[in-house]
Amino acid sequence: MEIIFATHNKNKLKEVQSLVPANIKVISLDDLNMTTEIPETGHALADNALIKARTIFELYKKPVIADDTGLEVTVLNGAPGVYSARYAGEPSNAENNMNLLLENLEGKADRSAHFKTVIAYINAEGKEQLFEGRVDGEIIAERRGGEGFGYDPVFLPTGYAATFAEMPLEEKNQISHRARALRAFSEFINKV
Ligand code: IMP
């Protein structure tokens, strides 16, 4: 069985391939020579995941998964959320995003936050399903660590002394929002 993963990101592709059963071949948009970006116009993570999955399903009529991720900060009512990539405006810039986040949290006692990933799956018959993964933590006041990407230097997962940017990638990949959503999906697909 082949599943299209609606991504151009090679690291994500590898992560998914390593989590699904060996009889499932995961192919990316690059493998299909699809270069167009699918606009993420939704106002919720699930909307964007579904928009991407539906766009690809309509084109290829094959099983497809698509993901969308955001950082949700309690005291900011879930912001930056679905707008995490462009929190400080276009073009997407991780340093500016972190600066704005730290500025907006100045003087706030509650710094709790979580990353959330939503995966949309559409099977060969067009049936849609959503899977979610989440990791809780807090936003610390200054950056720590040089690994990872995005908000990793300011995200301290609950129960750990290291930020996501201080952890080896393999360790982050064990506990991350994306890994958890992927595991939920692969547990499901393993049973099908
Ligand atoms: P995407 O949906 O995976 O493209 O993620 C959207 C945005 O959320 C990224 O541009 C990052 O700003 C942020 N993000 C997603 N995953 C992570 C992560 O694992 N660490 C830090 N930031 C992340």
Side-chain angles (χ1 to χ4, degrees), residues 12 67-70 84-85 115 149-152 172 177-178:
K12 283 190 187 177
D67 72 328
D68 200 32
T69 294
S84 293
F115 279 112
F149 70 100
Y151 299 88
D152 280 348
K172 179 188 166 190
H177 41 300
R178 219 173 345 271

Side-chain angles (χ1 to χ4, degrees), residues 3-24:
I3 294 183
I4 303 170
F5 185 18
T7 188
H8 295 287
N9 184 321
K10 293 207 166 38
N11 293 321
K12 283 190 187 177
L13 185 74
K14 262 198 221 155
E15 210 183 328
V16 183
Q17 186 69 76
S18 71
L19 279 162
V20 297
N23 62 332
I24 295 179

Side-chain angles (χ1 to χ4, degrees), residues 27-43:
I27 50 180
S28 76
L29 298 184
D30 292 334
D31 296 324
L32 297 166
N33 291 321
M34 174 162 174
T35 49
T36 13
E37 283 295 325
I38 305 164
E40 298 189 7
T41 51
H43 298 296

